């Protein structure tokens, strides 16, 4: 029986196995080469790598195993039947990063501009299903022009399948989106559903409606990078967790992030041998953090002193800078750190900081990463914009995330911990397993000045010397309710520790909590604040 094939490179006549293998080699070589040298040169001219070059940088050398390399679309009309390249514009498969399995799909902009068609989408659906079934991280290398217009609604349905799988995989396997080109329209929602978004400056953009549509509707003129470039999403919108100058650095940082994450929600993050002594004292902390609560300092310096070898990966570094979210290791074990940053807005909590920290806490809890909270918070940011913007519901997101977390949780109060912000930042009353404080801590409903003005308002007003009376009342309030041992005496702080011994205390506490078991109520899911 003669097999009819529309590919002239494949003979319809009977052939030996060796001849068929030779044909396979030619077909595979074409699939690996891509559409043309001209298309590859055009990609490089834009400062972008090809899809296969990106995969080589992401995965361990020689570990990539491709799936459906020879897939081609079956669409007709608008000239599609005459153009049926192998891979259909997306490369899918799996490999390893530092020896651990990782699934990946990469848009090939050289083929149909990386646009998503029915076959293209089916390949992505399959690799996502494989990642979920295997319990391994999924990395998407995005460089596509959106839905393939020639295929109509079939292309749009393909996006729906991706979104559904992103949601199914959420909290089950780590999902990382790497933006290496344009991502417009509904396609932008897939990265938004994943755990982490990386972007490259100048070459990657994300937006729902492009500059032309914005100009037509609002009259505003703006460039693609001005509307949805890496810096915009890293600093203003908070859509991007990381932004880098080039693809090589970006993909190297993706590998580093993967080394800090578990394979799935049933595993623990990888532990590595630690050469940084657990008992190492950090006497520099005694001078790094001023006892005067009104003087700022850099909380990142505190983190560097505490964690293994001073190394950490900050998430959302340039967005909501008044709070720090970072992944690091203590005694070789991965830990998630949430810390107020006194150098930005005095470390207050506001809408963006609450959202940033809440999402980070949820991620840590989903993937069995213990949470360390470093407090130096004067309260929530006051203001009409904050209240009208919904600081109540946004702040409640952070509160909900902490209360819902079942991983080991340790809080350390460095200086100020005032009001509702103290409660929200993983206080003992909302479930922190251990709460420590430095001798410089001040835990109170509010600062002494404000408290004295409220409590002693009449005495101050009636005094012959209101200024001196206010000063005396402030000192009295501090002495009674804000001394370093007030909370410890009432069991709200487990211990007041020497700052220089912080590292040893935290590591020993995390070691004890590693086997923590937490019962959760039987429910379909909670209804978190929106």
């Amino acid at each position: 029986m003669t097999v009819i094939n529309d590919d002239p490179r494949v003979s319809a006549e009977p052939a030996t196995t060796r001849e068929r293998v030779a044909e396979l080699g030619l077909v595979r070589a074409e699939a690996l080469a891509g559409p043309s040298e001209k298309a590859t040169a055009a990609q490089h001219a834009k400062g972008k790598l090809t899809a296969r070059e990106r995969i080589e940088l992401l995965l361990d050398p020689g570990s990539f195993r491709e799936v459906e390399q020879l897939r081609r679309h079956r669409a007709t009309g608008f000239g599609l039947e005459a153009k049926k390249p192998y891979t259909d514009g997306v490369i899918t498969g799996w490999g390893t990063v530092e020896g651990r399995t990782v699934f990946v799909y990469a848009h090939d902009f050289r083929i149909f501009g990386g646009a998503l068609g029915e076959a293209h989408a089916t390949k992505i659906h399959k690799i996502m299903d494989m990642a979920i079934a295997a319990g391994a991280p999924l990395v998407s290398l995005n460089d596509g022009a959106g839905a393939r217009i020639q295929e109509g609604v079939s292309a749009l349905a393909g996006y729906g399948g991706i979104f559904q799988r992103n949601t199914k995989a959420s909290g089950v396997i780590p999902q990382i989106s790497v933006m290496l080109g344009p991502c417009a329209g509904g396609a932008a929602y897939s990265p938004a559903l994943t755990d982490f978004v990386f972007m490259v400056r100048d070459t990657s953009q994300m937006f729902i409606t492009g500059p032309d549509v914005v100009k037509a509707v609002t009259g505003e003129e703006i460039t693609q990078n001005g509307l949805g470039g890496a810096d915009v999403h890293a600093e203003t919108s908070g859509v991007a967790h990381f932004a880098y100058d080039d693809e090589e650095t970006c993909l190297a940082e993706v590998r580093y992030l993967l080394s800090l994450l578990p394979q799935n929600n049933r595993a623990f993050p990888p532990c590595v041998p630690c050469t940084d002594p657990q008992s190492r004292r950090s006497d520099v902390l005694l001078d790094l953090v001023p006892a005067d609560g009104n003087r700022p300092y850099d909380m990142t310096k505190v983190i560097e002193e505490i964690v293994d070898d001073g190394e950490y990966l900050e998430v959302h570094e340039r967005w909501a800078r008044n709070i720090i979210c970072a992944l690091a290791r203590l005694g070789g074990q991965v830990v998630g750190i949430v810390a107020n940053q006194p150098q930005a807005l005095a470390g207050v909590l506001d809408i963006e900081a609450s959202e940033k920290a809440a999402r980070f806490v949820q991620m840590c809890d989903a993937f069995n990463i213990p949470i360390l909270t470093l407090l130096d918070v004067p309260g929530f940011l006051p203001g009409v914009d904050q209240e009208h913007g919904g600081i109540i519901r946004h702040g409640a997101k952070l509160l909900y995330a902490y209360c819902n977390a079942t991983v080991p949780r340790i809080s350390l109060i460095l200086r100020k911990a005032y009001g509702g912000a103290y409660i929200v930042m993983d206080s003992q009353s909302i479930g922190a397993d251990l709460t420590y404080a430095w001798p410089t801590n001040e835990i109170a409903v509010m600062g002494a000045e404000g408290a004295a003005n409220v409590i002693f308002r009449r005495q101050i007003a009636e005094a012959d010397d209101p200024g001196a009376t206010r000063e005396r009342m402030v000192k009295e309030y501090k002495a009674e309710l804000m001394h370093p041992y007030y909370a410890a005496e009432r069991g709200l702080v487990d211990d007041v520790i020497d700052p220089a011994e912080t590292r040893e205390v935290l590591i020993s506490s995390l070691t004890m909590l590693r086997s923590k078991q937490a019962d959760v109520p039987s429910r379909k899911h909670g209804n978190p604040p929106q």
Side-chain angles (χ1 to χ4, degrees):
M1 177 178 178
T2 301
V3 178
I4 299 175
N5 191 301
D6 61 358
D7 190 338
R9 291 158 298 192
V10 179
S11 171
E13 298 299 324
T16 66
T17 301
R18 291 184 180 276
E19 290 173 332
R20 287 303 191 196
V21 170
E23 288 177 347
L24 172 62
L26 293 174
V27 170
R28 196 175 300 284
E30 180 176 340
L32 291 171
S36 67
E37 292 184 3
K38 181 179 179 181
T40 301
Q43 181 82 345
H44 288 163
K46 298 174 185 176
K48 301 197 297 183
L49 301 174
T50 66
R52 295 191 184 279
E53 289 170 339
R54 290 164 176 165
I55 291 173
E56 288 177 4
L57 286 175
L58 174 67
L59 301 177
D60 296 336
S63 68
F64 182 57
R65 181 69 180 178
E66 191 168 352
V67 176
E68 294 195 354
Q69 182 186 72
L70 305 183
R71 186 72 178 258
R72 299 194 294 176
H73 73 77
R74 296 175 293 180
T76 59
F78 306 101
L80 285 177
E81 62 275 6
K83 189 176 182 182
K84 302 174 69 174
Y86 292 116
T87 74
D88 199 46
V90 64
I91 300 168
T92 60
W94 76 88
T96 61
V97 172
E98 296 187 3
R100 298 192 302 155
T101 300
V102 173
F103 288 82
V104 61
Y105 69 85
H107 297 133
D108 191 340
F109 195 83
R110 300 172 302 167
I111 298 175
F112 298 125
L116 183 138
E118 184 179 16
H120 182 121
T122 301
K123 289 182 63 175
I124 295 176
H125 296 168
K126 179 172 182 175
I127 209 67
M128 294 180 78
D129 289 339
M130 291 175 68
I132 295 170
L138 174 70
V139 178
S140 61
L141 306 179
N142 298 271
D143 186 7
R148 197 173 299 171
I149 299 173
Q150 300 94 319
E151 295 194 30
V153 71
S154 296
L156 293 178
Y159 276 121
I162 293 173
F163 303 157
Q164 189 269 342
R165 288 167 174 82
N166 284 138
T167 304
K168 180 180 178 181
S170 181
V172 178
I173 58 172
Q175 298 180 85
I176 300 174
S177 297
V178 188
M179 315 311 297
L180 301 167
C183 185
Y189 283 113
S190 177
L193 289 169
T194 60
D195 299 302
F196 299 97
V197 176
F198 287 73
M199 295 189 73
V200 176
R201 293 184 181 89
D202 298 327
T203 58
S204 64
Q205 303 88 28
M206 296 173 66
F207 37 70
I208 299 299
T209 55
D212 293 340
V213 176
V214 170
K215 181 178 180 181
V217 174
T218 69
E220 298 172 285
E221 293 192 15
I222 192 167
T223 63
Q224 287 193 348
N225 281 320
L227 182 63
D231 289 327
V232 168
H233 288 311
E235 296 179 12
T236 306
S237 73
V239 171
H241 299 77
F242 307 95
Y244 299 99
D245 291 328
D246 56 79
E247 295 188 15
E248 291 83 357
T249 303
C250 180
L251 293 170
E253 290 299 295
V254 174
R255 286 178 58 90
Y256 180 44
L257 173 59
L258 285 167
S259 74
L260 296 169
L261 299 175
Q263 289 293 89
N264 54 62
N265 64 332
R266 300 181 301 278
F268 289 100
C271 180
V272 300
C274 179
T275 57
D276 192 350
Q278 174 180 336
S279 58
R280 170 174 58 80
R281 287 180 58 86
S282 300
D283 291 301
V284 68
L285 293 175
L286 299 172
D287 302 312
L288 182 59
V289 179
D292 181 356
N294 294 319
R295 290 178 57 192
Y297 62 93
D298 188 353
M299 182 64 84
T300 64
K301 301 298 183 183
V302 175
I303 295 173
E304 288 176 5
E305 279 298 316
I306 294 173
V307 302
D308 293 354
D309 302 311
E311 294 182 359
Y312 65 93
L313 178 64
E314 188 169 351
V315 178
H316 268 144
E317 179 181 0
R318 297 162 62 196
W319 180 61
R321 297 190 183 196
N322 43 321
I323 201 160
I324 297 168
C325 297
L327 292 169
R329 283 192 167 90
L330 277 168
Q333 304 286 349
V334 177
V335 62
I337 299 173
V338 179
N340 305 109
Q341 174 56 289
Q343 278 196 335
L345 295 175
V348 298
L349 287 179
D350 60 3
I351 289 173
E352 291 186 345
S354 298
E355 288 193 337
K356 171 180 171 178
R359 181 71 190 277
F360 183 75
V361 168
Q362 289 173 174
M363 184 280 299
C364 289
D365 187 49
F367 294 117
N368 304 310
I369 300 173
I371 301 168
L372 168 63
T373 305
L374 305 179
L375 283 86
D376 191 347
V377 59
F380 283 94
L381 180 65
V384 175
D385 289 344
Q386 288 291 306
E387 297 296 342
H388 289 185
I391 184 61
I392 294 173
R393 62 186 175 88
H394 290 290
K397 293 178 183 179
L398 179 55
L399 178 60
Y400 188 98
Y402 270 124
C403 290
N404 207 41
T406 59
V407 294
R409 291 155 50 189
I410 299 175
S411 292
L412 173 63
I413 301 162
L414 281 63
R415 292 195 311 187
K416 302 182 298 295
Y418 294 162
Y422 153 63
I423 300 297
V424 168
M425 290 286 291
D426 205 19
S427 63
Q428 189 178 98
S429 60
I430 67 168
D433 297 295
L434 289 169
T435 303
Y436 297 111
W438 286 358
T440 47
N441 79 84
E442 293 181 356
I443 307 173
V445 175
M446 63 176 67
E449 293 281 349
N453 287 336
V454 172
I455 298 172
F456 307 113
R457 179 172 57 248
R458 180 175 297 179
Q459 293 95 316
I460 293 172
E462 295 175 352
D464 294 335
D465 187 345
T469 301
R470 179 183 295 107
E471 184 177 347
R472 178 169 54 83
M473 294 303 182
V474 167
K475 291 181 179 179
E476 181 180 328
Y477 183 83
K478 283 186 174 181
E480 288 290 327
L481 298 176
M482 293 181 65
H483 63 80
Y485 311 104
Y486 183 84
E489 291 170 357
R490 284 152 183 79
L492 298 175
V493 168
D494 292 297
D495 197 8
V496 179
I497 64 173
D498 179 349
E501 298 175 354
T502 299
R503 173 176 166 81
E504 182 178 8
V505 171
L506 292 177
I507 292 176
S508 63
S509 299
L510 287 168
T511 301
M512 179 275 294
L513 288 169
R514 186 163 177 79
S515 58
K516 173 186 174 182
Q517 298 291 324
D519 294 327
V520 294
S522 177
R523 61 183 177 185
K524 186 175 182 180
H525 58 73
N527 187 23
Q530 298 297 320

